[in-house]
Amino acid sequence: MGKSPCRDEREGLKKGPWTVEEDRKLLDYIQKHGHGRWRILPKNAGLKRCGKSCRLRWTNYLRPDIKRGRFSFEEEETIIQLHGVLGNKWSAIAAHLPGRTDNEIKNHWNTHIRKRLLGMGIDPVTHTPRLDLLELYSILSSSLYHSSQLNTFPSLLGVGPLGNPNLQGLATADHLLSSQYKTPEITSQYDPQQNQYHNTLVSNQFQSSHPIHELNTSTYATQVNQFHSAVQETQPCAASHTLSTPFGREPQLTQAKLEQLSPNLNFIRQNTLPNVWPSMGEQLNLARNDFPLQNVDSIIDPQFENEILQTRNNIDQQIPNYSFGSLIITTTSPSPTPLSSTTTYANCSSTEDERDSYCSNIMMFNMLAK
DNA sequence: AACAGTATCAACCGCACCAAT
DNA sequence: GATTGGTGCGGTTGATACTGT
């Protein structure tokens, strides 16, 4: 029993952008009489608008509690989490973000977050890696895995360089979605006293659903060591490396090393988690077009350490039984040049891109820093 | 400087739901 | 139960700003 939309033009009502004068009339009226009864409101307020237009203007723009400006990291976190659960229920998502309207969140999702996820090969609807790409790549990689032609396909798929070892690992994994162990990952911590970063290789611990005896720990330790060696070969990571050159100055050497480790770079959908966060973290990490290590020194800014810790604490509270692993290998790399959010991304042209990239990395680190 | 292409976001549109009649 | 009015929601549009050539 739907209502017909307002018949503005037939009734000579105005459409389009609101003028200051119209805003003032609407505000004056609502301050005196409150909102509601939108159908009769414009007539009483002396506005040549339909009630629907007035309601929209009020709820999306004039409401005094509306927060303006950029979305904070925490807000983006919340949006992604909630979208994973609620889908495009923008009003429901907005209910968790005081001062933000559903329209604003929807726009931000469509113009920023959605694009970012797509660019990383993640389906923004399902929050999982795009299976179409994965299946295609799996087919291709089965015949081309050892071929140099392999690296010509990513541009066709529109997912960035397949030099991304994580994506390769994902597509070539024997135990796709069911591996017993997780990829060792790199995290980084800034030591202000020594003015340098400690890169940490973290082996994410096995999930309880997989009996520990199934694991060949010796093999795993060897793989971790190999991975560690590959890590060391890429050191030091200059902060000026662009985000689009995944393997630094010796791409082929490093990539070859990483390809040796590809079975260890599986994407693992281990336990079905009650929350999208862990899987999102995996996917964000997985889908990055850059080898994580490459970004360790070029992304993390000490000033965000607290944010990371805070987010970790939030995750701990929300998912008390979920934890990442225990095997930790620490390396130290020289501190990059003095960091700021702008100089860190010296080769990125867009401030928005910088921030998007930063947020993606932060989300990754949030999951890895445990 | 001029133009074209792209990004952003306020506003609109159509539909659905619910309550009142 | 059918109709109507009020409101909310999600998708889309279009004006404007921005960026690149």
Side-chain angles (χ1 to χ4, degrees), chain A residues 15 26 40 44 51 55 64 69 76 92 109 132 168-169 176 194 208 213-214 227 265 274 315 324 364:
Chain A
K15 287 168 64 176
L26 182 57
I40 60 169
N44 292 342
R55 179 176 58 81
E76 288 199 339
W109 176 270
D132 53 337
Q168 286 185 16
L176 187 65
Q194 298 180 42
S208 58
H213 62 75
E214 287 182 15
F227 195 87
L265 292 167
I315 293 168
F324 285 113
M364 175 185 79

Side-chain angles (χ1 to χ4, degrees), chain A residues 104-260:
Chain A
E104 199 178 7
I105 292 168
K106 178 175 60 182
N107 282 333
H108 189 69
W109 176 270
N110 288 330
T111 57
H112 296 88
I113 301 174
R114 185 174 170 277
K115 285 181 187 174
R116 194 190 311 154
L117 295 179
L118 281 171
M120 294 188 298
I122 296 173
D123 185 336
V125 177
T126 63
H127 291 236
T128 58
R130 294 170 65 186
L131 292 178
D132 53 337
L133 301 183
L134 295 174
E135 285 170 10
L136 177 56
Y137 182 64
S138 184
I139 293 166
L140 295 173
S141 63
S142 66
S143 58
L144 295 173
Y145 181 69
H146 295 295
S147 164
S148 60
Q149 295 176 53
L150 190 60
N151 289 326
T152 66
F153 285 95
S155 58
L156 297 176
L157 300 178
V159 295
L162 275 187
N164 178 351
N166 287 339
L167 193 52
Q168 286 185 16
L170 170 60
T172 58
D174 291 336
H175 308 296
L176 187 65
L177 308 185
S178 64
S179 257
Q180 278 110 19
Y181 51 78
K182 294 187 65 139
T183 304
E185 301 289 5
I186 308 297
T187 186
S188 182
Q189 193 163 22
Y190 181 70
D191 182 344
Q193 290 188 329
Q194 298 180 42
N195 190 34
Q196 64 186 4
Y197 282 80
H198 297 290
N199 294 333
T200 304
L201 186 64
V202 181
S203 156
N204 301 317
Q205 205 169 28
F206 313 107
Q207 303 298 303
S208 58
S209 61
H210 299 290
I212 201 79
H213 62 75
E214 287 182 15
L215 175 73
N216 181 335
T217 52
S218 173
T219 302
Y220 183 60
T222 302
Q223 288 172 325
V224 169
N225 286 334
Q226 287 175 340
F227 195 87
H228 188 209
S229 299
V231 166
Q232 288 181 320
E233 281 188 26
T234 64
Q235 303 283 5
C237 299
S240 60
H241 283 173
T242 66
L243 296 178
S244 57
T245 50
F247 298 104
R249 293 183 206 133
E250 298 177 275
Q252 281 159 13
L253 173 67
T254 312
Q255 185 173 356
K257 261 287 188 206
L258 291 166
E259 283 183 359
Q260 287 175 16

Side-chain angles (χ1 to χ4, degrees), chain A residues 32-71:
Chain A
K32 286 175 188 164
H33 304 95
H35 56 82
R37 307 284 295 171
W38 293 107
R39 205 173 180 85
I40 60 169
L41 185 149
K43 188 179 175 184
N44 292 342
L47 288 162
K48 291 187 184 306
R49 295 269 183 177
C50 71
K52 196 171 182 174
S53 180
C54 293
R55 179 176 58 81
L56 221 59
R57 183 65 177 171
W58 169 255
T59 55
N60 286 341
Y61 200 84
L62 295 176
R63 240 173 52 201
D65 59 330
I66 284 183
K67 191 195 288 183
R68 296 261 151 222
R70 285 186 144 186
F71 280 73

Side-chain angles (χ1 to χ4, degrees), chain A residues 259-279:
Chain A
E259 283 183 359
Q260 287 175 16
L261 303 169
S262 61
N264 218 18
L265 292 167
N266 297 342
F267 171 73
I268 300 166
R269 172 157 320 285
Q270 301 188 10
N271 302 320
T272 300
L273 295 164
N275 190 300
V276 297
W277 246 110
S279 58

Side-chain angles (χ1 to χ4, degrees), chain A residues 253-311:
Chain A
L253 173 67
T254 312
Q255 185 173 356
K257 261 287 188 206
L258 291 166
E259 283 183 359
Q260 287 175 16
L261 303 169
S262 61
N264 218 18
L265 292 167
N266 297 342
F267 171 73
I268 300 166
R269 172 157 320 285
Q270 301 188 10
N271 302 320
T272 300
L273 295 164
N275 190 300
V276 297
W277 246 110
S279 58
M280 275 301 297
E282 288 171 2
Q283 290 153 23
L284 287 167
N285 181 36
L286 162 75
R288 294 181 47 73
N289 289 335
D290 308 293
F291 175 44
L293 174 66
Q294 193 64 36
N295 299 310
V296 166
D297 286 341
S298 58
I299 297 299
I300 288 295
D301 188 316
Q303 67 179 300
F304 297 116
E305 294 273 328
N306 286 338
E307 282 188 14
I308 295 170
L309 290 173
Q310 180 63 49
T311 304

